Amino acid sequence: GQQLNQSPQSMFIQEGEDVSMNCTSSSIFNTWLWYKQEPGEGPVLLIALYKAGELTSNGRLTAQFGITRKDSFLNISASIPSDVGIYFCADLNAGNMLTFGGGTRLMVKP
Amino acid sequence: ETGVTQSPTHLIKTRGQQVTLRCSSQSGHNTVSWYQQALGQGPQFIFQYYREEENGRGNFPPRFSGLQFPNYSSELNVNALELDDSALYLCASHRTGGTEAFFGQGTRLTVV
């Protein structure tokens, strides 16, 4: 089956720094979704991307759907302590079933 | 808060036992999906229910089964529990054709 590879696996940054993480796929995607999961909670959708080349922002978050349709990146600008969590990329297939990557764990030092 | 509630929040079971996990979907959402999230990994799709019928299944054995009720709530049943079944089980609900799935907080199952 298709695989989603996220990198880096973890990041430990200083508050105020910008963050970049990415996700690559072994196959072409029609949808890229970025989720955040905090301890004790389920994943929450941050950004959804539907077209190759699409660049979408949600506050301090920006994500892009790669031109090859096999990758996507998520940037967080001016990180704050509440950005701590695990960030997942995911594909949504025609049956509304999600395939998740392994996640990037973000830790922010105040 | 997403409106999707799961119970119980934590559960400890012995290998070989059976377990039932419950999920109440968000109002107006007729599709429910279940995911298994092992420690340090992303969620893995188990199956999906739409109008009380299984509507898709991931790579999980038949001892993982489910139900959806007329009010769209759902149950996940796991028979003959194995140690590797220890994980966070997530329920997600969404409208048919909708792209956003709303997740509950999960049930942490530990098999000893």
Side-chain angles (χ1 to χ4, degrees), chain A residues 63-101:
Chain A
Q64 184 159 29
F65 194 143
I67 294 291
T68 64
R69 294 169 63 193
K70 289 186 175 183
D71 63 341
S72 177
F73 71 74
L74 175 70
N75 289 341
I76 305 173
S77 62
S79 59
I80 58 178
S82 63
D83 291 333
V84 164
I86 305 175
Y87 291 80
F88 291 101
C89 62
D91 170 51
L92 182 71
N93 72 10
N96 278 341
M97 299 158 202
L98 292 164
T99 300
F100 285 87

Side-chain angles (χ1 to χ4, degrees), chain B residues 59-105:
Chain B
N59 190 25
F60 281 81
R63 59 189 184 83
F64 285 77
S65 63
L67 285 173
Q68 187 180 31
F69 300 99
N71 66 355
Y72 304 136
S73 66
S74 178
E75 286 182 356
L76 164 66
N77 299 293
V78 187
N79 293 323
L81 284 167
E82 302 176 358
L83 298 179
D84 284 349
D85 295 333
S86 295
L88 180 69
Y89 288 85
L90 295 162
C91 168
S93 76
H94 50 93
R95 293 187 188 88
T96 303
T99 55
E100 182 163 6
F102 294 87
F103 284 85
Q105 83 283 6

Side-chain angles (χ1 to χ4, degrees), chain B:
Chain B
E1 188 171 314
T2 65
V4 178
T5 57
Q6 293 186 241
S7 63
T9 55
H10 295 84
L11 199 53
I12 299 175
K13 287 286 190 177
T14 303
R15 189 172 50 183
Q17 285 188 314
Q18 178 266 342
V19 69
T20 297
L21 311 182
R22 295 179 174 82
C23 173
S24 294
S25 60
Q26 184 159 320
S27 177
H29 288 186
N30 55 13
T31 302
V32 172
S33 301
W34 286 90
Y35 291 81
Q36 180 196 66
Q37 186 176 21
L39 198 61
Q41 297 183 23
Q44 299 283 318
F45 174 74
I46 303 175
F47 45 54
Q48 181 181 100
Y49 277 81
Y50 170 65
R51 290 188 175 179
E52 303 175 54
E53 297 282 336
E54 188 178 290
N55 188 37
R57 189 178 184 92
N59 190 25
F60 281 81
R63 59 189 184 83
F64 285 77
S65 63
L67 285 173
Q68 187 180 31
F69 300 99
N71 66 355
Y72 304 136
S73 66
S74 178
E75 286 182 356
L76 164 66
N77 299 293
V78 187
N79 293 323
L81 284 167
E82 302 176 358
L83 298 179
D84 284 349
D85 295 333
S86 295
L88 180 69
Y89 288 85
L90 295 162
C91 168
S93 76
H94 50 93
R95 293 187 188 88
T96 303
T99 55
E100 182 163 6
F102 294 87
F103 284 85
Q105 83 283 6
T107 293
R108 173 74 60 189
L109 173 65
T110 302
V111 182
V112 297

Side-chain angles (χ1 to χ4, degrees), chain A:
Chain A
Q2 63 188 15
Q3 280 199 317
L4 294 181
N5 298 304
Q6 285 191 245
S7 64
Q9 287 188 321
S10 63
M11 305 178 73
F12 188 40
I13 63 169
Q14 193 77 33
E15 182 179 0
E17 289 183 354
D18 295 341
V19 172
S20 185
M21 60 190 77
N22 75 323
C23 192
T24 59
S25 167
S26 57
S27 55
I28 289 173
F29 279 7
N30 293 316
T31 308
W32 280 100
L33 305 174
W34 284 94
Y35 282 84
K36 179 188 179 186
Q37 186 176 27
E38 297 184 14
E41 302 291 333
V44 175
L45 182 64
L46 299 173
I47 292 179
L49 302 162
Y50 301 103
K51 295 190 299 187
E54 180 180 354
L55 183 71
T56 297
S57 293
N58 178 7
R60 294 179 296 106
L61 276 61
T62 302
Q64 184 159 29
F65 194 143
I67 294 291
T68 64
R69 294 169 63 193
K70 289 186 175 183
D71 63 341
S72 177
F73 71 74
L74 175 70
N75 289 341
I76 305 173
S77 62
S79 59
I80 58 178
S82 63
D83 291 333
V84 164
I86 305 175
Y87 291 80
F88 291 101
C89 62
D91 170 51
L92 182 71
N93 72 10
N96 278 341
M97 299 158 202
L98 292 164
T99 300
F100 285 87
T104 293
R105 182 180 297 272
L106 178 64
M107 293 159 280
V108 179
K109 183 178 179 183

